[in-house]
Amino acid sequence: MAANNSLSPSFSCRKDSGPVIPTTPLVTFLERVQETAFQTYGRSNCDLKDYVDLSLKFDLSSTVEAFDEIPKTENGLVSITDFQGFIGKWFTSAGEDLVYAQPVDFEPEPRGFLPKVENHEVRAWALEVHGLWKELSRKVSNSVLDKPELHTLLPLSEPVMIPGERFREVYYWDSYWVVRGLLASKMYETAKSIVTNLISLLDTYGYVLNGARAYYTNRSQPPLLSAMVYEIYNKTGDVDLLRKALPPLLKEYQFWNSGILVTRMSNFLLVPTFPEMKDKRFASKFLNDDEKQQFYRELASTAESGWDFSSRWMRNPPEFTSLSTTTILPVDLNIFILRMELDIAFFAKVVGENAIAEDFLGASQTRKKAIDSVFWNQNMGQWLDHWLNNGAESKEPHTWEAQNQNKNVFVSNFVPLWIDLFNSDAPLVEKVTRSLQSSGLLCAAGIATSLTNSGHQWDFPNGWAPMQHMIVEGLSRSASTEARKLAKDIAERWIRTNYVAYKKTGKMHEKYNVEKFGEFGGGGNYRPQTGFGWSNGVVLTFLEEFGWPKDQKIECN
């Protein structure tokens, strides 16, 4: 297949952008159960995700019939007692569709584990974090494999690593940092199993799903499968893995660059796509059905970005109904696709597919020029998201103007450093390093996601493991002494805050408050989660890269 000389906007919007039909009859029904739970308990007294993760004990038609027969009050409400009785009789608990699986390659202390960590206290903690892979390892239960129609969990053949707590299924972009941690833990077979499962989803649906649930089949997440394959190959030299992965990666590339909806702008090809989910509470503010449908698309597109939710996607922050993700060309999506192009070119060359290699190398060079042209802001020394002035669906030519850049500061403005095409440019790296240092994002315990305290979890004061990692890795790979020094400093701050929080709570956390050492993050639509896959992976990766000297204190001052 031919590579695409394009910029990729928005997470995303499809040509068939009418209302999205729920993916299965079971999901349709569980949405009704979920709504009843909300009416019965209120949002603060239950996690609504639990109700779409339930599995049926009996066939769907009998369960629906029993649900319809639950006694209701005059105003249509169900009593807590009757609702709890119905759930207990007709469903197995959320999470029972996965069972524990002992990782085949887990060793309590692998040979060659974190050789640069000389401090005994830090090493002991790192081994505890390493041990969490056992706690997060699962496999799909036989009941799902035998009767998939009774479950929203999708059948996967290989063992999985879950992020933790309410996130009791595989997630796409989380898996990259899980893989990085597994490689630091010398768990190469488990890392390959993750890739095998994601390829299976890609083969089945045409793209890697947001997560391995039936209700996630209408969207993807940041495309990092090729990066996982590259990191595993880099550690193992497994050429067979490259041969296995190349065809599905070409399919995924086609998904992200397909002509589902095409808007030509200058010499760039834009490819928006529209998934959808529903949030009636906010959608009720719109009187027009078309506006409601568009808002639903914005919600799902934001979820597809991985940044759900953030002022980054709002035209008028902090007004949540001003989400406009589908009208943004995001810096990071284009960086991820550039990474995919470079990876595919490399894989193709290794396995002897020279025509594909040349095609994708050319595409990567074109995308690099487009990123320089559209996103780079010389005055700020950052790459900025670009607002589409005519909207994602407009057929009018788009003009690339500096005033269409979002000049608010987000950690994503520095993600291009992760790519060698950018971090190998020493003068550029030095300029971006100085910009990062003066941006206001650098805090006591890491890099903040934004400068806006909106109450949303992908904003200040939260810091997230993936963002710390991409920026630190990019800085550390440069030739700039100043950049490498900053990379080490950020990594040490992040390691420290993870350590202190772990010692206080006994847990690794999904996100952290970068204003205060040892404080986990907040915000969002659910309570803070522990576990936690990508946090574990980044800590282990940082310790493998930077180590910890014997006499260096780990506690925060």
Side-chain angles (χ1 to χ4, degrees):
M1 63 163 283
N4 199 342
N5 296 335
S6 65
L7 277 184
S8 299
S10 73
F11 301 90
S12 24
C13 46
R14 303 188 205 285
K15 182 171 67 176
D16 53 345
S17 56
V20 171
I21 299 171
T23 49
T24 67
L26 176 58
V27 171
T28 304
F29 170 60
L30 290 178
E31 287 178 349
R32 294 179 60 201
V33 175
Q34 186 185 60
E35 185 172 352
T36 301
F38 177 77
Q39 294 170 346
T40 303
Y41 297 115
R43 180 149 195 157
S44 62
N45 296 318
C46 67
D47 186 339
L48 296 177
K49 184 177 183 298
D50 289 344
Y51 295 93
V52 289
D53 289 354
L54 294 171
S55 296
L56 303 182
K57 291 181 178 178
F58 310 102
D59 65 86
L60 178 59
S61 60
S62 300
T63 309
V64 172
E65 184 177 344
F67 177 75
D68 290 336
E69 293 175 354
I70 300 176
K72 295 179 177 62
T73 64
E74 290 183 0
N75 56 3
L77 298 178
V78 174
S79 73
I80 292 176
T81 300
D82 287 340
F83 187 67
Q84 288 177 339
F86 168 74
I87 294 296
K89 180 176 180 179
W90 291 91
F91 297 94
T92 59
S93 298
E96 290 188 15
D97 42 15
L98 284 166
V99 296
Y100 176 73
Q102 172 74 20
V104 296
D105 48 1
F106 178 83
E107 296 290 341
E109 184 166 4
R111 179 179 297 180
F113 179 67
L114 305 185
K116 297 180 185 178
V117 177
E118 300 170 349
N119 182 294
H120 294 302
E121 188 177 2
V122 176
R123 187 168 191 82
W125 169 59
L127 285 169
E128 290 185 41
V129 175
H130 163 72
L132 294 175
W133 297 131
K134 288 180 65 178
E135 296 185 16
L136 298 174
S137 181
R138 302 285 190 277
K139 65 179 179 180
V140 174
S141 70
N142 289 335
S143 62
V144 176
L145 300 175
D146 293 340
K147 294 186 176 181
E149 71 277 6
L150 301 183
H151 308 268
T152 59
L153 186 73
L154 301 177
L156 296 171
S157 62
E158 299 295 323
V160 303
M161 283 287 170
I162 61 171
E165 288 202 283
R166 78 194 291 269
F167 300 114
R168 53 180 76 93
E169 54 277 313
V170 170
Y171 284 83
Y172 183 8
W173 82 312
D174 294 58
S175 295
Y176 172 76
W177 289 279
V178 170
V179 164
R180 292 297 299 264
L182 290 169
L183 295 176
S185 290
K186 313 299 181 184
M187 296 174 64
Y188 304 140
E189 293 306 312
T190 299
K192 290 178 185 179
S193 293
I194 290 175
V195 166
T196 296
N197 283 329
L198 296 179
I199 288 175
S200 173
L201 293 173
L202 205 168
D203 285 339
T204 301
Y205 296 96
Y207 51 95
V208 183
L209 307 185
N210 182 147
R213 291 275 177 186
Y215 52 76
Y216 285 140
T217 56
N218 64 347
R219 65 176 183 261
S220 187
Q221 261 191 337
L224 292 170
L225 178 57
S226 72
M228 297 180 220
V229 173
Y230 176 87
E231 297 298 342
I232 295 172
Y233 173 78
N234 197 36
K235 289 282 189 178
T236 66
D238 188 346
V239 177
D240 288 339
L241 175 65
L242 302 190
R243 292 194 182 97
K244 171 185 173 184
L246 185 56
L249 285 173
L250 293 173
K251 181 187 294 186
E252 181 178 41
Y253 182 80
Q254 186 176 27
F255 166 77
W256 284 101
N257 292 277
S258 67
I260 293 171
L261 182 143
V262 174
T263 305
R264 288 203 174 271
M265 306 192 311
S266 182
N267 60 330
F268 306 131
L269 183 66
L270 300 183
V271 192
T273 56
F274 285 112
E276 178 185 27
M277 68 179 185
K278 298 191 176 181
D279 192 317
K280 295 179 180 178
R281 182 163 54 99
F282 289 101
S284 64
K285 295 184 178 182
F286 297 99
L287 300 179
N288 182 290
D289 284 344
D290 289 342
E291 291 178 346
K292 288 182 181 180
Q293 292 299 320
Q294 183 59 37
F295 177 64
Y296 295 152
R297 295 178 195 120
E298 302 299 346
L299 285 168
S301 298
T302 308
E304 190 169 53
S305 79
W307 283 49
D308 46 338
F309 291 97
S310 169
S311 61
R312 179 185 175 193
W313 310 117
M314 300 175 194
R315 287 276 186 178
N316 302 304
E319 176 51 52
F320 191 64
T321 56
S322 72
L323 281 174
S324 301
T325 314
T326 62
T327 64
I328 296 173
L329 268 71
V331 171
D332 45 3
L333 172 59
N334 280 280
I335 290 301
F336 297 145
I337 295 179
L338 173 60
R339 171 72 192 258
M340 191 193 308
E341 288 165 344
L342 292 166
D343 289 338
I344 289 174
F346 173 74
F347 301 159
K349 184 176 182 180
V350 171
V351 302
E353 296 284 355
N354 293 329
I356 294 175
E358 291 178 10
D359 195 13
F360 276 83
L361 185 59
S364 70
Q365 293 167 346
T366 300
R367 189 177 300 272
K368 164 66 164 59
K369 293 177 183 177
I371 289 170
D372 290 339
S373 175
V374 175
F375 298 124
W376 176 246
N377 185 293
Q378 179 69 18
N379 292 333
M380 291 180 65
Q382 301 173 24
W383 294 268
L384 308 180
D385 293 339
H386 191 97
W387 291 102
L388 300 178
N389 53 13
N390 297 317
E393 292 182 282
S394 174
K395 295 181 180 179
E396 296 297 319
H398 182 85
T399 56
W400 302 109
E401 298 174 353
Q403 62 261 35
N404 289 334
Q405 290 181 328
N406 183 349
K407 293 183 176 60
N408 292 315
V409 178
F410 299 98
V411 67
S412 53
N413 296 7
F414 300 91
V415 165
L417 286 174
W418 191 46
I419 303 297
D420 289 346
L421 289 177
F422 296 100
N423 64 47
S424 60
D425 183 337
L428 175 70
V429 170
E430 289 175 359
K431 183 177 182 65
V432 175
T433 298
R434 291 191 295 272
S435 178
L436 177 59
Q437 289 172 319
S438 62
S439 68
L441 293 177
L442 287 181
C443 297
I447 309 172
T449 310
S450 77
L451 300 181
T452 303
N453 193 340
S454 68
H456 294 290
Q457 63 176 352
W458 284 87
D459 271 318
F460 187 87
N462 285 344
W464 294 79
M467 312 314 293
Q468 317 297 314
H469 175 259
M470 284 187 285
I471 292 173
V472 166
E473 188 162 80
L475 292 169
S476 67
R477 287 178 174 174
S478 77
S480 166
T481 301
E482 181 184 8
R484 294 199 305 271
K485 181 180 178 181
L486 180 60
K488 187 173 186 292
D489 177 58
I490 296 169
E492 288 181 354
R493 297 185 200 195
W494 190 252
I495 291 167
R496 277 198 167 98
T497 201
N498 279 255
Y499 174 85
V500 173
Y502 184 88
K503 289 300 180 180
K504 287 166 58 176
T505 66
K507 303 286 186 179
M508 294 290 288
H509 296 266
E510 177 192 22
K511 53 187 178 279
Y512 292 85
N513 180 340
V514 294
E515 284 193 298
K516 302 175 183 177
F517 276 111
E519 295 292 328
F520 56 82
N525 297 323
Y526 52 84
R527 66 175 178 80
Q529 300 293 292
T530 63
F532 195 86
W534 63 18
S535 297
N536 307 348
V538 169
V539 160
L540 293 174
T541 302
F542 280 173
L543 288 172
E544 182 177 52
E545 174 66 22
F546 299 101
W548 202 272
K550 182 176 182 180
D551 298 327
Q552 182 172 321
K553 299 290 186 181
I554 182 65
E555 295 85 359
C556 299
N557 295 326

